[in-house]
Amino acid sequence: MNDTPVYTPEIIYITRYAITRGIVKARRKNSYGDVEGCNFPFFKAHANARGIDWHTSLEAAQNRAEEMRKNKIKAYEKAIERLKKLKITRS
C-alpha cells in the first residue's frame, strides 16, 4: 500500500513581472514548486518561500500589481526630478 499523499495542483497567480507582462495564471504541478503555464525561466513557486512573487488568489495578485505600479510611478517621478535639477555645462 502506498501512503504517499496525493498532491492536488492549485491555481496560482504570478506577479513577478506584472508591470511588463501582466499577472500570469499558472498551476503548481507538485509540492516542490514546479509550475506549468508559466514561461518565466527557472520560476519555482515554493510554498515555504512564497515571498511576494506569487499568490493563491486573484485579488491578492491584483493588489500586489497595483502596489508595484505605484512604486514604478514614484521611481519615474524621482528620475524626472533628478533630470530637472541636472545642470549640463560645457568645458
Side-chain angles (χ1 to χ4, degrees):
M1 197 146 121
N2 189 355
D3 290 336
T4 306
V6 176
Y7 182 78
T8 306
E10 68 177 318
I11 299 293
I12 61 170
Y13 301 92
I14 301 170
T15 57
R16 177 173 272 177
Y17 304 108
I19 297 295
T20 56
R21 296 185 185 177
I23 298 171
V24 174
K25 184 177 177 182
R27 182 181 302 272
R28 286 180 65 203
K29 292 195 303 189
N30 55 38
S31 59
Y32 298 110
D34 295 326
V35 176
E36 66 181 352
C38 169
N39 58 358
F40 303 144
F42 309 115
F43 186 83
K44 296 267 187 187
H46 293 290
N48 58 351
R50 189 157 104 194
I52 57 175
D53 287 339
W54 65 274
H55 310 271
T56 55
S57 74
L58 181 58
E59 183 179 346
Q62 289 171 335
N63 290 339
R64 174 63 184 144
E66 180 65 19
E67 182 181 320
M68 291 169 67
R69 185 187 70 83
K70 288 178 182 178
N71 289 340
K72 186 63 113 174
I73 290 170
K74 284 181 192 175
Y76 281 138
E77 287 172 347
K78 257 176 137 175
I80 289 169
E81 287 302 315
R82 194 169 45 247
L83 286 170
K84 285 180 180 178
K85 292 177 184 177
L86 183 66
K87 301 286 185 205
I88 300 176
T89 60
R90 277 187 206 196
S91 335

